[in-house]
Amino acid sequence: MKKVFFVLILSLLILPIVNCRPVSVRGHEKYPAKLTANGEIKVEYRFDNPPDSAKPSCFWWWFNSLVDKKGITRDLEEFKKKGMGGVVLVCSGNDYGVAEMPRGPVFLSPQWMVLFRHTLREAARLGLEVGVNFGGGGWDMGGAWITPELNSRWFVQSELNLTGPKTFLGKLPLPDPRAGYKSPHYGNLNHYMTWPKEKMDYRISSVVAFRETKGASLGIERLKLLDAKSNRLDGSLFTPANTVMNVPLKPWTVANEDRPVATGDVVDLSSKLKGDGTLEWEVPSGEWTIITTGHVATGADVRCVLPEVGYVLEVDWLSRKATDLHFKNLGDLLLKEAGSHAGKTLKYFHTDSFEDGYPNWTDELISEFKKYRGYDPTPYMPVFAGRIVGNAEISDRFLYDYRKTIADCFADNSYGRFAELSHARGLKIQCEAAGPSWSGTVCMDGLKNLGRCDNPMGEFWADGIVNNGQNLVGKQTAAAAHIYGRKTASAEAFTGGGHWQQYPAMLKPIADRAFCEGINRLVFHTMTSTRPQDGLPGYEYGAGTHFNPNVTWWNQAAGPWLAYINRCQAMLQSGLFVADVLYYNGDWAPNLVDVKHVDPSLGKGYDYDVCNSEVLLTRLSVKDGRIVLPDGMSYRLLVLPDTKFMPAEVIKKIKVLAEAGAIIVGQKPERDPGLHNYPQCDTEVKKMAGYLWGDNTANRPFDNKVGKGHVITGIRLKDILLSGNLPPDFEAVETDSLTFIDYTHRTTHDAEIYFLANRNDRTERIKGIFRVHGRHPMLWNPVSGEKCQLCIFENHQGRTEIPIEFQPFESMFIVFPKVAPEKSPKNIRSFLNLKPVYELTGSWSIQFNKEWLYPLKGLGPEQVNGAFTFSTLQDWSKRPEESVHYYSGSATYKKIFTISDSALVHSTNIYLDLGSVRETAHVRLNGRDMGVLWCPPFRSDISGMLKNGENNLEIEVVNLWPNRLIGDVSLPMEQRKTRTNVITYKSNSPLLPSGLLGPVTLQTIKKSQP
């Protein structure tokens, strides 16, 4: 093929990326038409002018309602000024290792409502959107109006043995509410099942009787799986998704010694139960066991609750009635107060991560089961008590159907109903509907839950809580957004971490990891609302990355940091995600998506989505040989799960897709997993499988032509794609096995957009290979906002190869515009090598903020006013002066240096490199503002700004709060200037490195060697 190769040096020479200059002047005049032919905003315009919809939101905590109008206005104005798009108002108490704090107006009182309305008016004035947490004074859904019968429920059972014939008239025994719940509880479920029997709100769902026979018990080995199969097994939120799913799916096999209870021999006595709980029954002859299945309130309560609210219950997450009552008491009240702002400024209601344990029953469960599964579950109630009904496989199928019913109730009666009620009133919903959850084993279909939400949302942390290096639910949240047609995949961002120890350079690689997983809308956790009169750093939450006007670096670096986020999100919300493979995740529950990973069969360089049965059955079709969704997403392969069962309705849809031209990859199923229409359902599956897979019973490598499509077994996914002339979408040809360049790809009508992120804290040199041909690549820098054309690239075998060097944790967009820019930049340089040519050594003048420089003991006259001279660059925490040693805030470094080299002065490529900065810096040279440097490399292009002779350099550096907080611990209260409820730090807590550490150098381009 014809090569385009603009290289004057060896093709293998890879040089660092710097000096990415703008393509043309800034300003709206360079966008004569900002829309594409189909009405989309052009990606270049979005990058330069991120719309409000692409800007992040935040958890805006009103702790103890301790807010006032002045503080509210200050916060919202600052948020808008720095680049936020909105807030989620969360009014709650405080928790997690912090001291008590004062209280503001009572939640939902007239005084509180005044502040709520003021918030909406101010947000409307500023153009910010508002969401409101849907908890009754904490999280999650619940409040004082939720009575025990509408609290989360657990099923419980009691047994009574009778010998007939006889007449039985009496009350059935109360169950032990803890029987069957042996696993330790995870999380902070303080009230779980601690109520005495008389307060546990016991309600009966069914009463059945059967003749007890030897051999009807499940036996020791099968009983080990009963807790998981009946949703009575608790688990940490860190439990991997595959573990959560696989344990309940371990099959129960039939044993020769089994003597199961026949379904027809189970007698339903429910109708014989009187209103007072008395059962009257003529007991036939023989030994009988009566099993009563009821349910009790778990006592799960609203978390982080306001002091005046106290202990209040969360909703029954499986109950439509509970959702309706909660909405009536909270949603309608807030909407009434919002008035005309509802649906305009007040855009959505929000629910936080599910932390209500593992509810497994609801009052309407029997009728809900009949609706969803199509048969009566009553004869199978003894299975929950460890008996075999029908046979072991039939009992297993029943529990499979039971778990699916719980997941369906969760999706439809909670999130689905919540969406219905909100939509009817002009609002949307934003929900962390699929974890990470406490309990991690809660029985949900994560994709279905998220699909009920307008803004599907996950969560990630700032303190390394990952699985195999990936966020726990990032891929799941993004996949849900893609398969359900949502434009955004949101995430509660940067939860956890030490108090005030985070800064933009630390947070950036964490955000980049989420972006590469498919997250494209961050909701910062947290941005606490504080009153100015409450001091600095102010009241804070016990968990979360503190990010508000009280952090030391807010004035200097919050704007540039948010500009980075906004550019990234503007690009990553554009167009459609590019994936080659769609994995069907099965029909079972719990059903969760594993973290982003490389399937060994697929290999690196291909991306993927995951779908559930609902999407497969209702949204998938085929067009031009690709599996498509109504919203535009498409895939080349549909990959089935590695199981031998498949619902009859699913395999019927597989047949439709294959005949229409889809490529289906997976092993041949043998049966249906459930009991609906059993055993005919198994016959249907076998018949359909025979048509699709032929007689390939050994699952050997096999490609069966079905209609216009193929059904394939035993062939690597990568080989299938390569045979269809579909090479990897992106490859990083690296220097060693530790190189990790992560990516995600979006496609729009006017460009192909690749976001690349170096996941390592080291320089990486690669050859990037992109599945794009015939377009001129550009590098768009989301940190600086600059864009440049790349001169060094090669079109080869239908792809574009580009040599790239990444700085530690560097990220970038490689963009392939459909139409090249009309104006090409002058002096384009894509890849440069820098060398230091001048080091600024010697003394520096430093001006600290004297208001935060204390104690003053031992300081000279100038030092008392904040003026110091350092003989060399030095970490503040290593200085002997106590006031500097513990200093937190900003300090300005000044230095005059002399340049006598005219070639250096007139160089068009010269850079000021600050070396190590702890943590952010604002640079001015000869009176010119060079901007804020907030992440490595701390480097500014100063071409044309040096002067012959003396040059004046100013660098304002900002560190973090902990050093001053640590210093204040040892001071008498009257000498302390910090004010906070955070009590984490001790006098011997380690200090953080602070200040400008250097070396500060001038750098120029090395000449390339041929």
Side-chain angles (χ1 to χ4, degrees):
M1 302 182 72
K2 183 179 178 181
K3 293 184 178 180
V4 181
F5 199 37
F6 302 96
V7 186
L8 299 178
I9 58 176
L10 291 176
S11 61
L12 294 180
L13 180 63
I14 301 179
L15 303 161
I17 301 174
V18 294
N19 194 34
C20 187
R21 302 271 174 80
V23 170
S24 56
V25 297
R26 293 200 176 269
H28 292 189
E29 67 277 2
K30 72 178 188 179
Y31 308 100
K34 70 177 183 179
L35 300 180
T36 62
N38 74 324
E40 285 185 354
I41 298 177
K42 290 182 178 179
V43 293
E44 184 182 11
Y45 185 87
R46 288 178 63 88
F47 183 80
D48 288 346
N49 305 273
D52 288 343
S53 59
K55 296 175 182 178
S57 184
C58 64
F59 284 77
W60 189 39
W61 291 93
W62 287 16
F63 288 120
N64 284 8
S65 302
L66 190 66
V67 297
D68 61 17
K69 289 184 177 181
K70 183 178 179 181
I72 289 170
T73 296
R74 186 277 306 261
D75 280 357
L76 296 179
E77 288 180 345
E78 283 293 312
F79 295 168
K80 180 67 176 182
K81 179 180 177 181
K82 294 299 188 289
M84 296 293 295
V87 298
V88 180
L89 196 166
V90 185
C91 188
S92 76
N94 212 332
D95 206 344
Y96 302 110
V98 293
E100 288 188 17
M101 53 182 287
R103 303 182 186 183
V106 171
F107 181 57
L108 302 182
S109 67
Q111 295 81 5
W112 191 93
M113 289 300 187
V114 168
L115 298 173
F116 176 62
R117 292 192 298 269
H118 176 75
T119 294
L120 295 179
R121 286 194 299 270
E122 289 295 87
R125 174 177 67 86
L126 295 166
L128 295 169
E129 70 173 21
V130 176
V132 176
N133 177 55
F134 212 57
W139 90 80
D140 222 334
M141 288 203 286
W145 42 86
I146 300 299
T147 51
E149 70 266 23
L150 293 177
N151 183 219
S152 289
R153 317 293 292 182
W154 271 352
F155 76 81
V156 290
Q157 291 182 308
S158 66
E159 296 188 21
L160 178 64
N161 296 317
L162 298 174
T163 301
K166 65 182 290 186
T167 298
F168 174 79
L169 178 63
K171 290 191 175 182
L172 298 170
L174 285 175
D176 178 355
R178 296 163 189 82
Y181 297 89
K182 309 179 191 72
S183 64
H185 298 315
Y186 291 84
N188 297 306
L189 306 175
N190 298 324
H191 301 280
Y192 240 59
M193 301 304 293
T194 59
W195 290 351
K197 284 187 178 183
E198 62 272 14
K199 291 186 178 181
M200 65 185 182
D201 191 54
Y202 174 59
R203 295 166 184 265
I204 295 175
S205 290
S206 74
V207 180
V208 298
F210 59 92
R211 284 189 172 90
E212 191 73 72
T213 61
K214 186 177 181 180
S217 171
L218 284 168
I220 295 174
E221 292 304 313
R222 288 179 300 208
L223 276 172
K224 290 178 180 178
L225 295 172
L226 182 58
D227 284 356
K229 288 178 177 289
S230 58
N231 196 26
R232 288 180 283 187
L233 180 66
D234 203 348
S236 164
L237 66 83
F238 309 116
T239 308
N242 287 333
T243 300
V244 173
M245 294 187 289
N246 290 340
V247 173
L249 293 177
K250 292 180 180 179
W252 280 343
T253 56
V254 175
N256 292 331
E257 62 270 21
D258 289 348
R259 297 295 182 269
V261 178
T263 54
D265 292 343
V266 178
V267 181
D268 186 359
L269 302 179
S270 305
S271 61
K272 300 182 182 296
L273 193 67
K274 297 181 180 180
D276 63 355
T278 301
L279 176 70
E280 183 175 3
W281 181 42
E282 295 296 326
V283 183
S285 63
E287 301 298 321
W288 290 83
T289 296
I290 295 177
I291 292 184
T292 305
T293 303
H295 52 99
V296 296
T298 67
D301 57 323
V302 176
R303 305 289 305 285
C304 204
V305 73
L306 288 158
E308 70 268 19
V309 172
Y311 171 63
V312 293
L313 298 175
E314 289 203 2
V315 298
D316 177 354
W317 293 85
L318 311 181
S319 167
R320 182 184 178 97
K321 185 186 299 183
T323 305
D324 286 350
L325 179 66
H326 185 59
F327 201 100
K328 177 181 178 181
N329 281 274
L330 182 60
D332 285 339
L333 178 62
L334 292 172
L335 289 169
K336 180 180 178 181
E337 293 293 330
S340 62
H341 293 295
K344 297 177 182 178
T345 299
L346 178 57
K347 292 293 186 69
Y348 56 86
F349 288 134
H350 166 89
T351 65
D352 202 64
S353 53
F354 179 82
E355 300 186 16
D356 196 10
Y358 49 108
N360 60 22
W361 206 265
T362 187
D363 192 48
E364 303 295 328
L365 193 281
I366 300 293
S367 60
E368 293 283 24
F369 191 104
K370 293 176 182 178
K371 178 180 75 174
Y372 284 113
R373 306 281 83 84
Y375 68 94
D376 186 358
T378 303
Y380 300 94
M381 292 296 110
V383 176
F384 290 123
R387 306 315 201 278
I388 305 170
V389 176
N391 61 41
E393 182 188 315
I394 287 174
S395 298
D396 203 5
R397 289 180 182 231
F398 160 69
L399 292 176
Y400 185 98
D401 287 342
Y402 155 75
R403 295 192 302 273
K404 283 185 59 179
T405 301
I406 296 299
D408 286 337
C409 289
F410 203 165
D412 294 338
N413 294 342
S414 181
Y415 296 111
R417 181 56 176 165
F418 184 27
E420 289 175 4
L421 294 168
S422 297
H423 293 170
R425 293 154 175 81
L427 266 69
K428 296 181 178 181
I429 66 168
Q430 171 178 286
C431 307
E432 296 179 41
S437 306
W438 291 109
S439 162
T441 53
V442 60
C443 195
M444 64 169 68
D445 180 331
L447 293 172
K448 184 179 286 188
N449 279 7
L450 291 164
R452 298 293 183 268
C453 307
D454 303 291
N455 298 340
M457 186 168 171
E459 178 178 357
F460 63 85
W461 289 272
D463 51 5
I465 299 178
V466 294
N467 186 345
N468 293 325
Q470 297 293 152
N471 295 314
L472 302 186
V473 296
K475 191 65 176 178
Q476 176 174 258
T477 307
H482 301 155
I483 64 176
Y484 281 97
R486 308 294 190 253
K487 293 297 291 184
T488 60
S490 302
E492 174 187 320
F494 312 117
T495 296
H499 292 283
W500 294 288
Q501 293 188 33
Q502 293 80 29
Y503 48 93
M506 174 191 286
L507 300 175
K508 178 185 176 295
I510 301 171
D512 291 346
R513 177 175 61 208
F515 289 151
C516 289
E517 291 169 336
I519 297 299
N520 60 11
R521 180 175 174 271
L522 301 186
V523 182
F524 285 95
H525 183 223
T526 63
M527 297 179 82
T528 301
S529 181
T530 61
R531 304 177 305 180
Q533 64 267 33
D534 290 325
L536 297 174
Y539 296 113
E540 271 297 354
Y541 186 40
T545 291
H546 307 323
F547 182 43
N548 65 5
N550 287 1
V551 298
T552 54
W553 46 271
W554 177 267
N555 289 332
Q556 183 179 94
W561 161 233
L562 286 171
Y564 171 79
I565 297 295
N566 293 345
R567 292 185 190 107
C568 289
Q569 294 189 164
M571 297 290 279
L572 297 175
Q573 290 177 18
S574 298
L576 295 169
F577 171 59
V578 175
D580 296 307
V581 177
L582 179 63
Y583 290 91
Y584 168 50
N585 214 41
D587 182 65
W588 50 77
N591 198 302
L592 304 171
V593 175
D594 195 9
V595 299
K596 182 181 177 180
H597 64 281
V598 176
D599 181 347
S601 176
L602 184 60
K604 294 180 180 180
Y606 295 99
D607 215 335
Y608 65 94
D609 267 333
V610 182
C611 77
N612 56 7
S613 289
E614 179 176 65
V615 167
L616 186 148
L617 292 170
T618 65
R619 306 195 85 232
L620 290 189
S621 60
V622 180
K623 181 178 180 180
D624 299 328
R626 292 186 66 86
I627 299 142
V628 299
L629 287 160
D631 320 286
M633 284 296 304
S634 69
Y635 315 88
R636 191 69 186 98
L637 305 181
L638 176 63
V639 180
L640 306 179
D642 187 20
T643 62
K644 293 187 177 182
F645 54 84
M646 179 178 291
E649 59 181 352
V650 170
I651 197 169
K652 290 176 183 177
K653 180 61 179 283
I654 296 296
K655 173 179 178 290
V656 171
L657 294 173
E659 290 179 334
I663 299 177
I664 312 295
V665 185
Q667 66 171 298
K668 183 178 182 179
E670 298 174 358
R671 64 174 180 86
D672 189 295
L675 282 179
H676 176 65
N677 198 30
Y678 174 82
Q680 291 87 349
C681 58
D682 284 3
T683 302
E684 293 178 13
V685 170
K686 291 177 181 177
K687 180 180 178 181
M688 203 68 65
Y691 169 72
L692 294 171
W693 276 266
D695 61 357
N696 183 30
T697 56
N699 283 322
R700 63 184 183 277
F702 183 81
D703 183 347
N704 190 34
K705 187 77 167 65
V706 178
K708 297 179 181 179
H710 295 260
V711 176
I712 299 174
T713 296
I715 302 175
R716 286 199 322 155
L717 300 179
K718 184 173 183 177
D719 293 338
I720 298 170
L721 292 171
L722 289 175
S723 68
N725 196 31
L726 202 64
D729 187 27
F730 168 73
E731 289 185 273
V733 181
E734 58 273 329
T735 55
D736 63 51
S737 60
L738 297 179
T739 299
F740 186 5
I741 305 301
D742 210 348
Y743 88 102
T744 190
H745 178 189
R746 308 282 298 191
T747 182
T748 72
H749 285 271
D750 60 326
E752 298 299 318
I753 303 167
Y754 289 82
F755 177 72
L756 308 182
N758 180 7
R759 294 283 298 274
N760 289 327
D761 187 14
R762 68 175 195 175
T763 299
E764 299 286 3
R765 296 184 174 187
I766 69 162
K767 178 170 67 174
I769 306 176
F770 302 82
R771 199 171 63 201
V772 180
H773 181 75
R775 296 189 183 184
H776 197 120
M778 300 183 70
L779 189 155
W780 294 7
N781 185 337
V783 172
S784 66
E786 294 174 331
K787 304 184 293 290
C788 68
Q789 290 181 324
L790 299 180
C791 326
I792 306 175
F793 69 95
E794 180 181 9
N795 285 333
H796 182 64
Q797 295 184 346
R799 295 193 290 173
T800 302
E801 300 179 358
I802 308 172
I804 307 173
E805 178 174 294
F806 291 84
Q807 294 298 311
F809 292 132
E810 185 177 12
S811 58
M812 64 185 69
F813 286 97
I814 301 296
V815 181
F816 296 86
K818 185 176 182 180
V819 179
E822 295 180 3
K823 294 182 179 180
S824 296
K826 296 180 180 179
N827 301 319
I828 296 176
R829 293 185 183 273
S830 307
F831 304 93
L832 307 170
N833 240 343
L834 294 179
K835 63 177 181 179
V837 294
Y838 187 95
E839 182 175 353
L840 279 65
T841 58
S843 63
W844 293 74
S845 298
I846 306 174
Q847 179 65 49
F848 291 92
N849 181 351
K850 66 179 183 179
E851 295 300 319
W852 287 93
L853 193 73
Y854 65 93
L856 302 179
K857 182 180 178 180
L859 297 185
E862 293 184 352
Q863 293 175 334
V864 167
N865 290 312
F868 284 74
T869 297
F870 286 8
S871 60
T872 186
L873 294 176
Q874 188 177 7
D875 181 347
W876 301 345
S877 69
K878 306 297 184 185
R879 292 287 298 184
E881 303 90 352
E882 186 178 353
S883 55
V884 177
H885 186 68
Y886 293 114
Y887 182 81
S888 292
S890 66
T892 300
Y893 291 71
K894 295 183 179 181
K895 190 173 189 63
I896 297 175
F897 62 97
T898 301
I899 298 294
S900 57
D901 185 342
S902 61
L904 200 61
V905 170
H906 297 295
S907 171
T908 58
N909 293 285
I910 186 165
Y911 302 87
L912 173 69
D913 191 298
L914 303 186
S916 177
V917 175
R918 304 305 300 263
E919 300 303 332
T920 65
H922 189 175
V923 180
R924 296 175 180 85
L925 178 62
N926 294 325
R928 298 184 65 172
D929 190 339
M930 306 305 302
V932 173
L933 303 175
W934 58 270
C935 67
F938 291 94
R939 182 188 300 146
S940 289
D941 182 351
I942 59 171
S943 302
M945 298 179 190
L946 287 175
K947 300 188 300 184
N948 270 314
E950 289 188 347
N951 291 266
N952 288 280
L953 177 63
E954 292 186 13
I955 306 169
E956 182 188 24
V957 177
V958 181
N959 73 335
L960 306 175
W961 273 120
N963 289 2
R964 185 64 266 166
L965 291 166
I966 293 166
D968 274 10
V969 173
S970 300
L971 295 177
M973 290 297 296
E974 64 273 13
Q975 293 183 24
R976 303 178 186 181
K977 292 189 177 182
T978 57
R979 294 172 61 189
T980 181
N981 60 328
V982 173
I983 53 178
T984 299
Y985 295 106
K986 311 299 181 185
S987 60
N988 60 350
S989 296
L991 297 178
L992 302 181
S994 299
L996 176 62
L997 306 185
V1000 179
T1001 59
L1002 302 182
Q1003 300 181 357
T1004 59
I1005 304 167
K1006 289 182 182 179
K1007 293 184 178 179
S1008 302
Q1009 298 297 320

